[in-house]
Amino acid sequence: MNFESVKYVNIKGRLWNPKNQVQFYEDGSFFVAEHNGFAIPSDEVPETFNEHFDRYLKLRSMHGEISLAGIPIRQYEALKSNYKINWTEICWLYYYDGTGYEGLTSEYTFESKAYTLDVLRKSDISKVFEHYTYKDDGIGYIESIIENQPTQCARYKGLPVSWVVQREDGSLGIMYTLESHRRKGLGEWLSKHLIHQVIQKGEMPYLHIVVGNAASVALVERLGFKKYGKIVWFGVQNPYYKTGGVTD
């Protein structure tokens, strides 16, 4: 399997993390990587993509829905014409191929307000989850990220007011700044630190931005990220689902 293309960064990010257990289904040059409840199919043979994916669905007949994570939009369009799609989130895939940032400071001052660089801690779990978009993931997901993943946090008078993390799949995300501390450059400051940290680990920083989020697009493009294209997170209703499986 050749993971050199940016389109496989979603898989590479999961493989880079030694705490992840990624499993593969292979069918010739076609494969599906499975991790954390999501499937990520390859795109090596688009002309037979539906045929390969259909065989994969039959093997997963115990699952009523297959959730797919960050796959190229052309795969989504191919599957949409053949299967019922239960939910969809379309994002831009951005990647960073620069050298990182040097001379970063551990303190940041804006209009007399002094911020200190830190990592997220267990005591911050509830605050981060309070402002987390995907509540269905559960607070345990945030706890796992804070305990196991690289994080960057700006503290004001000891309290977390802005943060960004590297998720378990290698993507940068969960960025948030409290309303009273926005438009001060905190997100950019923290992102530079995290980008540099990820590069020092030998990984390529990348992220997903929901289409229509103009503010986040402007930020990452200022940071030097390049747009790869649209990717999609979605759920496919498995037509072969039966309690107890299917018999061919």
Side-chain angles (χ1 to χ4, degrees):
M1 302 172 189
N2 179 10
F3 296 146
E4 293 307 309
S5 171
V6 173
K7 69 185 174 185
Y8 290 124
V9 69
N10 197 359
I11 298 174
K12 286 191 292 186
R14 295 168 196 269
L15 293 175
W16 274 325
N17 190 337
K19 296 179 180 178
N20 292 337
Q21 292 185 338
V22 182
Q23 301 193 356
F24 287 91
Y25 158 82
E26 297 184 67
D27 185 359
S29 61
F30 175 84
F31 66 87
V32 179
E34 298 177 331
H35 172 249
N36 203 25
F38 285 95
I40 312 162
S42 71
D43 194 33
E44 293 302 310
V45 282
E47 65 276 8
T48 56
F49 176 72
N50 278 332
E51 176 185 341
H52 284 292
F53 195 76
D54 197 69
R55 288 201 287 269
Y56 169 75
L57 287 177
K58 288 179 179 178
L59 290 176
R60 298 297 181 266
S61 60
M62 296 296 292
H63 300 277
E65 178 181 279
I66 304 296
S67 298
L68 293 100
I71 71 170
I73 194 166
R74 62 180 174 274
Q75 291 184 348
Y76 165 72
E77 295 292 348
L79 294 178
K80 187 174 69 170
S81 64
N82 288 275
Y83 305 100
K84 179 184 176 183
I85 305 300
N86 293 337
W87 58 271
T88 304
E89 184 167 82
I90 302 177
C91 302
W92 293 111
L93 167 60
Y94 275 89
Y95 66 99
Y96 181 90
D97 60 1
T99 57
Y101 296 92
E102 302 289 345
L104 297 172
T105 62
S106 59
E107 294 184 346
Y108 183 84
T109 301
F110 186 91
E111 294 181 348
S112 76
K113 286 186 176 181
Y115 299 90
T116 303
L117 183 72
D118 195 7
V119 297
L120 289 168
R121 305 184 183 280
K122 284 187 177 181
S123 57
D124 304 320
I125 291 172
S126 59
K127 174 62 71 174
V128 174
F129 185 68
E130 176 186 350
H131 299 286
Y132 182 54
T133 301
Y134 306 101
K135 291 290 194 296
D136 288 347
D137 290 345
I139 195 169
Y141 177 72
I142 299 300
E143 181 177 8
S144 176
I145 291 292
I146 290 177
E147 290 184 350
N148 299 302
Q149 293 298 117
T151 67
Q152 297 289 346
C153 169
R155 295 189 184 276
Y156 179 67
K157 296 183 179 180
L159 300 176
V161 297
S162 183
W163 52 82
V164 63
V165 311
Q166 185 184 35
R167 291 176 179 265
E168 79 288 349
D169 64 357
S171 64
L172 278 58
I174 315 184
M175 177 184 283
Y176 191 84
T177 300
L178 300 185
E179 178 66 35
S180 58
H181 296 274
R182 292 178 185 172
R183 292 170 290 280
K184 303 181 189 303
L186 292 175
E188 187 167 342
W189 177 53
L190 295 179
S191 295
K192 287 179 179 179
H193 276 279
L194 188 56
I195 288 168
H196 194 72
Q197 184 178 3
V198 170
I199 290 174
Q200 291 302 302
K201 292 198 299 174
E203 302 174 13
M204 182 178 70
Y206 80 99
L207 45 79
H208 301 141
I209 298 177
V210 176
V211 170
N213 188 341
S216 292
V217 166
L219 170 60
V220 302
E221 291 185 351
R222 280 201 310 274
L223 288 166
F225 280 86
K226 297 178 181 178
K227 182 186 289 184
Y228 177 78
K230 286 182 178 178
I231 55 93
V232 190
W233 296 65
F234 62 103
V236 172
Q237 184 67 38
N238 191 345
Y240 303 106
Y241 171 69
K242 286 185 179 180
T243 302
V246 297
T247 303
D248 290 330

